[in-house]
Amino acid sequence: MPEPRETAVYTHGHHESVLRSHTWRTAANSAAYLLPSLEPRMKILDIGCGPGTITADLAELVPGGHVTGVDRAPEILEQARATAAGRALGNTDFAVADVHALDYPDDTFCVVHAHQVLQHVGDPVRALREMKRVVRPGGIVAVRDADYAAMTWYPASAGLDAWLDLYRRVARANGGEPDAGRRLKAWALRAGLTDVTASSGTWTFATPQERAWWSGLWADRTLASTYADRARLGGHAGEEELRAAAGAWREWGEREDGWFNVLHGEILCRKKA
């Protein structure tokens, strides 16, 4: 097996404000581009599974198959196991893993899936090569990632402009690429994947409930998460700047005409048989 070469720091961490978002994710709202390709007996690897909500959905969609969820953070896997147990899913298992050096033999899985992972890794091309290695010939590598520079909102907000600039600087200082969505196809081709279908998907937050939820979790994340710590310790922002960014989020969330869109790049790659 290749040696791990992770050099990035996970920007968000697992603060409650982060998990508020992660546990909201489902296969329907975060992996719709993959779902038509699933078959009941498939063996799936879900990389960066976090608290396991997408993993559990995938397991329900392949009742005669099996889903393995992996993450670099051992502590979050306990929550993923609890998610699967709470839904009485007997076709899942979970393990610690580094996407740069997966501890599985060649040609093991029918599908290898990663949602919001490559933006946080040190070598996304190497990661995709590993995903390609462990998927069977004829199998699928499916990846979806946000593109922060393509996020857009209304009304205009200098405070959110400053937040976005800060977030991108912190993420890059941590070794990641916050604008990963637009790069997925290029990375896949560099990794040797040739049958690549590129698409995009969005999350939109516009109702009062959606605005309150989205703005609240980002306001809290900006002040209290690992991201906030990295911003302070890396010298990217002081407490006043972080409080201003959190305030801009809450102000936007209270706007009746507020609208926010998160663009994601998606790739569906078939490994040559």
Side-chain angles (χ1 to χ4, degrees):
M1 292 293 170
E3 290 297 319
R5 290 181 55 190
E6 178 58 271
T7 58
V9 174
Y10 180 46
T11 295
H12 298 289
H14 293 98
H15 183 265
E16 182 277 330
S17 61
V18 178
L19 295 180
R20 209 181 308 165
S21 172
H22 289 185
T23 55
W24 166 83
R25 297 173 185 174
T26 65
N29 68 28
S30 300
Y33 71 105
L34 168 63
L35 303 190
S37 300
L38 298 184
E39 298 175 8
R41 301 188 65 82
M42 280 181 160
K43 186 176 183 180
I44 300 174
L45 178 64
D46 186 23
I47 296 174
C49 67
T53 51
I54 297 175
T55 316
D57 284 353
L58 294 175
E60 289 183 342
L61 292 168
V62 293
H66 190 88
V67 183
T68 297
V70 298
D71 203 283
R72 289 197 73 220
E75 65 277 9
I76 200 61
L77 292 176
E78 290 307 310
Q79 186 167 342
R81 293 184 182 100
T83 299
R87 291 164 67 167
L89 294 169
N91 61 336
T92 62
D93 71 293
F94 298 90
V96 176
D98 178 355
V99 68
H100 296 87
L102 296 167
D103 193 21
Y104 299 100
D106 296 359
D107 307 336
T108 298
F109 299 95
C110 305
V111 176
V112 179
H113 167 262
H115 182 267
Q116 307 281 39
V117 172
L118 294 190
Q119 64 178 285
H120 298 295
V121 305
D123 191 340
V125 174
R126 181 184 173 108
L128 282 161
R129 289 194 186 112
E130 273 294 272
M131 296 168 74
K132 175 188 173 187
R133 180 183 67 79
V134 301
V135 79
R136 296 172 182 171
I140 295 168
V141 173
V143 179
R144 187 175 195 252
D145 249 289
D147 194 302
Y148 276 75
M151 289 184 182
T152 187
W153 56 82
Y154 185 88
S157 167
L160 289 184
D161 289 342
W163 160 79
L164 181 58
D165 174 70
L166 172 63
Y167 179 84
R168 293 171 75 215
R169 285 188 283 113
V170 173
R172 289 194 171 122
N174 287 345
E177 175 46 71
D179 305 338
R182 69 188 64 190
R183 293 170 164 82
L184 295 182
K185 182 179 179 181
W187 287 342
L189 294 174
R190 285 170 57 192
L193 289 155
T194 55
D195 185 357
V196 181
T197 299
S199 59
S200 62
T202 62
W203 293 335
T204 301
F205 305 98
T207 69
Q209 295 80 12
E210 290 167 348
R211 292 196 314 272
W213 180 77
W214 186 242
S215 64
L217 70 86
W218 267 110
D220 292 345
R221 191 181 304 190
T222 299
L223 291 175
S225 69
T226 298
Y227 157 66
D229 293 338
R230 295 286 172 182
R232 295 183 186 99
L233 294 173
H236 305 287
E239 196 65 27
E240 184 176 342
E241 293 167 274
L242 292 174
R243 291 193 178 280
W249 269 111
R250 295 198 184 280
E251 180 179 352
W252 171 84
E254 293 171 359
R255 289 289 301 251
E256 183 180 5
D257 58 352
W259 178 92
F260 201 104
N261 184 269
V262 181
L263 176 72
H264 298 82
E266 303 162 345
I267 51 170
L268 197 68
C269 316
R270 288 217 177 249
K271 183 175 177 179
K272 284 188 176 180

